[in-house]
Amino acid sequence: IILTIILTICLLTGCRKHTMPDDFNISFQFGTTDDTMITIDTYNQIISRGIDQSNCLTFKISADDKKDIYDRMIEDILHGYSGAYHGPTTEGGENLKFSIKYTSRKHTDIITGDYTTFSCEKKDTKTLIDFRDYMIDYVKGTKEYAKLMNG
């Protein structure tokens, strides 16, 4: 009975699989050109458009959203993946560049991606592209993104 109660509470409250480190932060960029590059940055709490970040808004990510991103990174096994992804990556038929910088447990990794050649240095790139797509959907779903694109 106690196990049933614990499992029920876990299901109802959305039990978290992983403990997010206190220092976890992420900067995620995507776009087809330097002018269209979108950056969401939890280090500095901003969202911006353009590689120079001149068009910038304050963005404070919720603790739940940050935890969801962290959990997704763990599920997609991105921790320990660093370097460059060169392969087919498009959005709406256009070539897409992306960058993921994250800090966790006092260690920072950077993953970059573009569309130049196909090669894979480490791990299955499907999980990397899945995470990239998850982050693009997350960013595009924020009210700050809508404001940035319409302002």
Side-chain angles (χ1 to χ4, degrees):
I1 294 179
I2 293 174
L3 183 58
T4 304
I5 292 170
I6 291 171
L7 288 174
T8 302
I9 290 171
C10 192
L11 289 173
L12 293 175
T13 61
C15 288
R16 306 294 180 138
K17 298 177 209 166
H18 314 283
T19 301
M20 182 178 71
D22 292 337
D23 69 338
F24 175 71
N25 276 295
I26 187 167
S27 176
F28 176 75
Q29 294 180 313
F30 69 97
T32 54
T33 67
D34 287 350
D35 291 337
T36 63
M37 189 70 67
I38 301 296
T39 302
I40 188 166
D41 180 346
T42 66
Y43 295 90
N44 300 302
Q45 299 183 354
I46 61 167
I47 184 170
S48 62
R49 183 174 184 183
I51 198 75
D52 63 358
Q53 298 184 347
S54 58
N55 190 1
C56 184
L57 297 172
T58 300
F59 177 78
K60 182 145 174 79
I61 191 168
S62 73
D64 286 342
D65 284 353
K66 198 172 187 182
K67 177 67 171 122
D68 289 345
I69 290 169
Y70 179 80
D71 286 345
R72 182 64 189 250
M73 284 183 75
I74 296 294
E75 289 168 20
D76 286 342
I77 318 169
L78 286 196
H79 286 281
Y81 190 128
S82 62
Y85 165 81
H86 301 288
T89 173
T90 61
E91 181 178 76
E94 294 188 53
N95 292 327
L96 182 69
K97 298 186 281 186
F98 67 96
S99 174
I100 304 165
K101 174 185 173 184
Y102 64 92
T103 300
S104 176
R105 294 179 178 85
K106 300 179 183 175
H107 180 77
T108 300
D109 279 313
I110 299 173
I111 304 167
T112 59
D114 64 24
Y115 43 80
T116 54
T117 59
F118 186 77
S119 68
C120 175
E121 296 174 4
K122 185 176 179 186
K123 298 191 181 190
D124 177 15
T125 57
K126 181 181 179 334
T127 60
L128 175 61
I129 299 304
D130 288 347
F131 181 76
R132 181 211 60 191
D133 293 345
Y134 168 81
M135 286 300 298
I136 290 172
D137 290 344
Y138 170 76
V139 172
K140 287 184 172 183
T142 65
K143 64 182 181 202
E144 292 86 355
Y145 175 82
K147 187 175 181 182
L148 190 65
M149 298 308 288
N150 294 321

